Amino acid sequence: MIDKRELTEDGLEKNFATSTLGVYIFTTSLIPVLQKEQDPQVITVSSGGMLVQKLNTNDLRSERTPFDGTVVYAQNKVRDMGFPRLHCTHGLCRPSSKESLLWDAQ
């Protein structure tokens, strides 16, 4: 977790680039391989940090509000938990139960 707002060479906030985009790029790059498997699984792990923040869709790049590394970390963890549902759009997942945040691959 980076405690001050820093940017990558591409102008992205570093926490967002590593914790959100890194996870997204890595897992979506696996989709073609997973789709060829008989029983593929994508397991997304987060932390309790996701429980302390609601997703702020008005400031995804942490530009409009005072920077707080802990808050930015929690925001990234909340975003990460949306990835399993995104993977379902590629036919890889189904909800394991209506009450669960865990999603199983088909």
Side-chain angles (χ1 to χ4, degrees), residues 68-84:
D68 180 324
T70 303
V71 171
V72 170
Y73 172 83
Q75 286 286 308
N76 285 319
K77 298 296 112 187
V78 171
R79 281 191 284 268
D80 290 351
M81 293 313 298
F83 292 150

Side-chain angles (χ1 to χ4, degrees), residues 11-67:
L12 300 168
E13 193 277 316
K14 283 187 178 181
N15 287 294
F16 176 74
T18 56
S19 296
T20 299
L21 287 181
V23 171
Y24 174 78
I25 291 168
F26 175 71
T27 55
T28 55
S29 69
L30 294 174
I31 288 173
V33 174
L34 292 170
Q35 288 175 325
K36 295 176 184 176
E37 296 299 318
Q38 183 176 2
D39 188 25
Q41 294 186 31
V42 175
I43 300 170
T44 301
V45 179
S46 189
S47 75
M50 66 172 257
L51 302 174
V52 299
Q53 286 288 312
K54 291 183 179 180
L55 183 59
N56 180 359
T57 57
N58 294 318
D59 193 18
L60 294 175
R61 294 175 51 141
S62 306
E63 297 174 312
R64 297 183 181 132
T65 54
F67 191 87

Side-chain angles (χ1 to χ4, degrees), residues 31 33-43 84 87-96 102-106:
I31 288 173
V33 174
L34 292 170
Q35 288 175 325
K36 295 176 184 176
E37 296 299 318
Q38 183 176 2
D39 188 25
Q41 294 186 31
V42 175
I43 300 170
H87 295 141
C88 290
T89 65
H90 295 281
L92 292 176
C93 310
R94 62 177 159 69
S96 57
L102 302 175
W103 289 66
D104 299 324
Q106 288 183 339

